[in-house]
Amino acid sequence: MRAAFLLALFLLKAACSCAQSMQTRSLTELINTQDPGWPLVQGWIAAAKNKVQIMPKTASRADSALLAAQVTTRSPMGAVVYETGGILVDNGWLRILGSGSPGLNRDLMGWNKDKQKGLLLIADDALGGFFALNGGAFGQATLGKIYYLAPENLEWEPLNKSYSDFLVFCFSGNLDQFYDKMRWRGWQQEVASLNGNQGISCYPFLFTTEGKNLSKVLRKPVPIQELWMFSNDMRQQLGIR
């Protein structure tokens, strides 16, 4: 029920050019006190096998972020937006977007402004891999499922996970296996030195033969926006759809 509601709402938003064109609901309507989703998310965090850090929220940012998203706090997505400034996983390797915080100074809808239509970016990783909820960009058969833009091949890869499934995977999944050959000795300290608005640029590029050995590439911190733009520019140049 919760997943169906979230999907229906997201598809409605995806059909509009902006949130303002919708009939928006008030903060009171969006905050669900009868069946909130946050205790469910807290349970997943309590059982986490990976290191999870909840970024502190500020009330004003949480209110504005929830209003912009127009997602009820009954859903895990609305709960993350309203109850957190974002969530860092595995020493900051993964960044799940919430309402924004000094250490992860991006909110969900603000980050998606002027991004690709038909998808909603919900998280990213330190190497400039991006996770997005399908709102039509990847076809109708997988609406509401998560896709991953992999920096090692510049392809949008289907994960066959809902938003809830994705959170559970981030908190307790085998991230070393998922990022096989994409981590190097000492990555924990290097990634921990970044803030949530940064990622690691690698040269030679990760999608080249020369860039496959991350222990030998030149790595430097850059704005995560730069990595998003770079990946999309390269996809266009290489004719990747």
Side-chain angles (χ1 to χ4, degrees):
M1 183 71 178
R2 182 177 286 124
F5 174 80
L6 175 59
L7 176 57
L9 178 59
F10 176 72
L11 295 178
L12 179 59
K13 289 178 68 65
C16 302
S17 60
C18 62
Q20 286 75 14
S21 64
M22 296 174 55
Q23 183 178 358
T24 58
R25 290 177 292 175
S26 68
L27 196 61
T28 302
E29 292 174 296
L30 294 171
I31 298 175
N32 188 304
T33 59
Q34 300 299 316
D35 187 21
W38 183 235
L40 180 64
V41 178
Q42 285 180 307
W44 296 335
I45 294 173
K49 298 177 181 178
N50 302 318
K51 182 179 178 181
V52 177
Q53 181 182 359
I54 300 173
M55 306 303 287
K57 73 168 189 176
T58 58
S60 59
R61 291 191 72 169
D63 288 351
S64 60
L66 189 66
L67 280 169
Q70 286 290 294
V71 180
T72 174
T73 58
R74 186 172 185 264
S75 71
M77 179 182 288
V80 170
V81 169
Y82 189 66
E83 298 291 349
T84 81
I87 302 175
L88 302 182
V89 180
D90 220 10
N91 293 295
W93 181 277
L94 286 172
R95 310 85 174 276
I96 301 168
L97 299 179
S99 59
S101 179
L104 180 54
N105 200 18
R106 293 178 284 149
D107 67 272
L108 180 67
M109 299 311 294
W111 173 241
N112 276 275
K113 186 178 180 181
D114 299 325
K115 297 294 194 300
Q116 183 177 338
K117 295 185 183 303
L119 57 79
L120 185 73
L121 296 169
I122 59 167
D124 42 65
D125 61 44
L127 287 179
F130 297 90
F131 298 89
L133 187 70
N134 178 26
F138 309 117
Q140 300 297 304
T142 56
L143 287 172
K145 297 294 186 179
I146 306 298
Y147 280 69
Y148 175 62
L149 178 56
E152 68 269 29
N153 59 26
L154 299 180
E155 298 277 359
W156 279 107
E157 301 175 348
L159 300 186
N160 195 31
K161 297 181 186 297
S162 66
Y163 183 84
S164 295
D165 295 335
F166 174 72
L167 290 183
V168 173
F169 166 74
C170 290
F171 300 154
S172 294
N174 189 337
L175 297 181
D176 284 331
Q177 183 181 63
F178 184 81
Y179 287 104
D180 183 38
K181 300 179 181 178
M182 298 302 291
R183 288 175 163 178
W184 59 98
R185 181 173 296 182
W187 68 265
Q188 295 92 337
Q189 293 75 23
E190 197 168 332
V191 170
S193 69
L194 302 174
N195 65 52
N197 278 3
Q198 293 178 309
I200 296 174
S201 174
C202 298
Y203 186 82
F205 307 131
L206 299 181
F207 55 85
T208 66
T209 301
E210 297 78 9
K212 297 306 179 187
N213 188 340
L214 271 82
S215 64
K216 294 183 178 180
V217 302
L218 177 65
R219 302 183 302 272
K220 66 175 182 177
V222 297
I224 194 70
Q225 172 71 9
E226 184 176 313
L227 294 179
W228 168 255
M229 294 176 64
F230 172 77
S231 291
N232 283 280
D233 287 345
M234 291 307 303
R235 281 171 52 83
Q236 185 174 19
Q237 290 181 40
L238 297 173
I240 301 175
R241 295 183 178 274

